[in-house]
Amino acid sequence: MIDVTFLLLIFFMLTASYAMLKALNVPPLPQDEAMAKNIEDFENDDDFVVVRVDSDNVYWITAPAFSEEQEAPTEPDLLAKLRQARGMGSSSGTSGPSRMLVVASGDSRHEYVVTALDAGMAVGMEEIRLAPQDDDF
């Protein structure tokens, strides 16, 4: 009986599939107050796209290509808006901002914040930063 148990244990250990987990590299927040920027400073910077995740898990994109903040309720909408912000649909190629700031509400779900980070990597953002925001915007 013990032999059968060990054989089953070995069988299930060998046939189990292990999912590879991704690691997110999140740069630490600057400790120097002179280096720290307000979110409004990032919104006014032409090299940044700001993606906000509100408490209802809706994405709001601010970019130099947009005259006002754009709403993206789903992940495909987010990807489309980020490509548009980067200028990927234009004939000149990628000429838009190459850096992104994700601002997450304290009430937003972690899954949506990670989706925003992944979307930035998918459209080829060179630098992605993450900033928390406790109050609703």
Side-chain angles (χ1 to χ4, degrees):
M1 197 68 153
I2 294 175
D3 292 339
V4 172
T5 305
F6 282 127
L7 285 175
L8 286 174
L9 179 67
I10 291 171
F11 173 77
F12 286 118
M13 286 176 55
L14 293 176
T15 59
S17 62
Y18 297 102
M20 296 298 290
L21 300 176
K22 285 185 178 179
L24 296 174
N25 294 328
V26 179
L29 294 173
Q31 299 299 324
D32 185 13
E33 294 204 16
M35 291 177 55
K37 292 175 88 175
N38 289 335
I39 295 171
E40 290 82 20
D41 295 339
F42 286 108
E43 289 175 346
N44 296 329
D45 192 348
D46 286 343
D47 201 32
F48 269 94
V49 173
V50 178
V51 177
R52 297 178 188 259
V53 185
D54 66 8
S55 60
D56 295 325
N57 300 313
V58 175
Y59 305 104
W60 295 90
I61 300 104
T62 304
F66 305 139
S67 59
E68 60 183 31
E69 195 171 42
Q70 301 285 315
E71 179 183 6
T74 63
E75 182 181 357
D77 292 336
L78 174 65
L79 285 168
K81 296 286 185 190
L82 286 177
R83 285 189 184 103
Q84 187 179 6
R86 288 256 4 228
M88 294 178 121
S90 66
S91 60
S92 63
T94 304
S95 60
S98 61
R99 296 157 67 182
M100 185 171 91
L101 174 69
V102 177
V103 181
S105 169
D107 295 330
S108 63
R109 293 186 58 190
H110 187 268
E111 168 187 2
Y112 290 88
V113 177
V114 172
T115 299
L117 295 170
D118 287 342
M121 291 184 346
V123 299
M125 293 289 181
E126 295 172 6
E127 179 183 338
I128 300 173
R129 295 184 184 185
L130 178 63
Q133 182 168 348
D134 293 329
D135 55 309
D136 226 0
F137 38 88

